[in-house]
């Protein structure tokens, strides 16, 4: 019964937040902080899931300015958990088809996130340049999931290089965001689902490195994030079993 009630309340909360965000965004369309404020309210739904979230932000990142945030992508609950760590003036990049999802899609578009056409390879190539241009022209930060898909309990999947190329072109730092293991942690029929820890790591600067080093930077970031995620997972009581290595 608790699981059913939770699912209904969670769904209603999501619809309400999406509708409210749409109305708010119509009054100030594509404003630089629409995503930040909406994410703040989405993260409150985690309380309904019986989850406590702790976000750790080092002083070096506060007020850092435009950056590319890279975060591990675990499952569909990320919308209520990872959103707690979204910083001001930050948007995400998603596929264009998202805007057709009832309520959520319209909210995602109106709040100012960047929509791309993944079905068109030539346009996808230009996405990096387009995103980098928006970062520099509008002084925005961008939130990306370098794994490219949800890991669904498989640990930290290998990184694609798009996020790193974007940061290099925009001449902004990469900021890794590590979220403790969420796989199997949330059970809707259980009242208390424990604690989730999100920690932002020190920024990574490119220092005009050559293009050939992009993969090396991505691999280094992957290794440091994997270690940190394992540490946070153990601390939060949901240890991560490392199955993949770079």
């Amino acid at each position: 019964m608790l699981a059913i009630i939770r699912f209904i309340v969670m769904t209603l909360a999501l619809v309400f937040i999406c509708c409210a965000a749409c109305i708010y965004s119509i009054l100030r369309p594509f404003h630089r902080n629409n995503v930040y404020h909406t994410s703040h309210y989405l993260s409150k739904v985690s309380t309904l899931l019986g989850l406590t979230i702790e976000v750790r932000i080092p002083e070096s990142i506060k007020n850092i300015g435009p950056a590319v945030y890279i975060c591990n992508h675990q499952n569909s609950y990320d919308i209520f958990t990872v959103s707690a760590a979204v910083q001001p003036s930050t948007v995400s990049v998603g596929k264009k088809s998202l805007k057709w999802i009832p309520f959520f899609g319209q909210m995602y578009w109106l709040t100012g996130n960047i929509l791309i056409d993944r079905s068109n390879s030539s346009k996808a190539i230009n996405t990096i340049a387009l995103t980098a241009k928006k970062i520099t022209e509008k002084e925005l930060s961008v939130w990306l999931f370098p794994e490219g898909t949800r890991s669904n309990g498989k640990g930290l999947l290998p990184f694609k290089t798009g996020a790193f190329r974007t940061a290099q072109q925009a001449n902004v730092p990469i900021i890794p965001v590590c979220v403790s293991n969420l796989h199997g942690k949330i059970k809707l029929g259980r009242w208390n689902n424990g604690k989730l820890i999100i920690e932002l790591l020190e920024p990574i600067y490119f220092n005009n490195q050559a293009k050939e080093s992009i993969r090396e930077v991505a691999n280094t970031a992957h290794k440091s994030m994997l270690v940190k995620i394992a540490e946070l997972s153990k601390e939060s009581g949901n240890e991560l079993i490392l199955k993949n290595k770079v």
Side-chain angles (χ1 to χ4, degrees), residues 151-169:
S151 59
N152 290 316
K154 298 177 183 178
L156 187 64
L157 302 179
F159 285 173
K160 300 180 184 301
T161 59
F164 300 88
R165 295 182 187 280
T166 300
Q168 187 185 54
Q169 285 195 27

Side-chain angles (χ1 to χ4, degrees), residues 20-246:
C22 284
I23 295 172
Y24 179 69
S25 296
I26 288 174
L27 298 176
R28 49 181 227 170
F30 311 113
H31 188 278
R32 61 192 299 105
N33 278 322
N34 284 354
V35 174
Y36 168 67
H37 292 302
T38 302
S39 297
H40 174 77
Y41 287 105
L42 284 171
S43 69
K44 299 300 181 184
V45 178
S46 61
T47 303
L48 299 176
L49 298 173
L51 197 66
T52 300
I53 299 179
E54 178 185 349
V55 180
R56 300 171 179 173
I57 306 175
E59 288 297 325
S60 59
I61 291 174
K62 295 176 181 178
N63 304 314
I64 194 172
V68 172
Y69 293 88
I70 57 171
C71 183
N72 53 314
H73 195 12
Q74 300 189 63
N75 52 40
S76 297
Y77 287 120
D78 284 349
I79 187 176
F80 304 125
T81 57
V82 170
S83 54
V86 172
Q87 299 299 294
S89 303
T90 301
V91 299
S92 67
V93 177
K95 51 189 177 182
K96 190 173 288 186
S97 58
L98 282 175
K99 70 179 181 181
W100 302 115
I101 299 176
F103 303 109
F104 174 80
Q106 293 74 57
M107 176 274 291
Y108 191 84
W109 172 57
L110 284 171
T111 50
N113 292 292
I114 302 172
L115 297 173
I116 62 172
D117 186 357
R118 287 186 177 174
S119 63
N120 189 315
S121 57
S122 62
K123 287 184 178 179
I125 293 173
N126 292 331
T127 296
I128 293 175
L130 172 66
T131 306
K133 183 178 180 181
K134 290 197 174 186
I135 291 173
T136 54
E137 288 186 349
K138 298 186 177 181
E139 295 187 345
L140 291 172
S141 291
V142 172
W143 189 286
L144 295 168
F145 296 104
E147 295 164 279
T149 187
R150 299 178 183 90
S151 59
N152 290 316
K154 298 177 183 178
L156 187 64
L157 302 179
F159 285 173
K160 300 180 184 301
T161 59
F164 300 88
R165 295 182 187 280
T166 300
Q168 187 185 54
Q169 285 195 27
N171 195 28
V172 296
I174 286 276
I175 298 178
V177 181
C178 301
V179 185
S180 62
N181 185 25
L182 188 61
H183 184 65
K185 190 174 185 68
I186 297 178
K187 298 185 184 302
L188 295 181
R190 183 172 58 193
W191 186 254
N192 185 357
N193 283 306
K195 182 178 182 179
L196 187 79
I197 305 173
I198 305 176
E199 184 169 337
L200 282 63
L201 304 186
E202 294 295 330
I204 301 171
Y205 294 91
F206 279 90
N207 297 322
N208 298 317
Q209 295 182 57
K211 290 183 178 179
E212 303 86 67
S213 68
I214 289 288
R215 170 49 64 188
E216 183 180 345
V217 173
N219 289 347
T220 299
H222 185 283
K223 289 177 182 177
S224 63
M225 286 181 66
L226 189 57
V227 170
K228 176 56 68 173
I229 291 168
E231 290 177 359
L232 297 178
S233 299
K234 185 174 182 179
E235 182 182 347
S236 65
N238 194 28
E239 195 164 350
L240 177 69
I241 299 176
L242 304 179
K243 296 179 179 179
N244 60 304
K245 297 181 183 295
V246 176

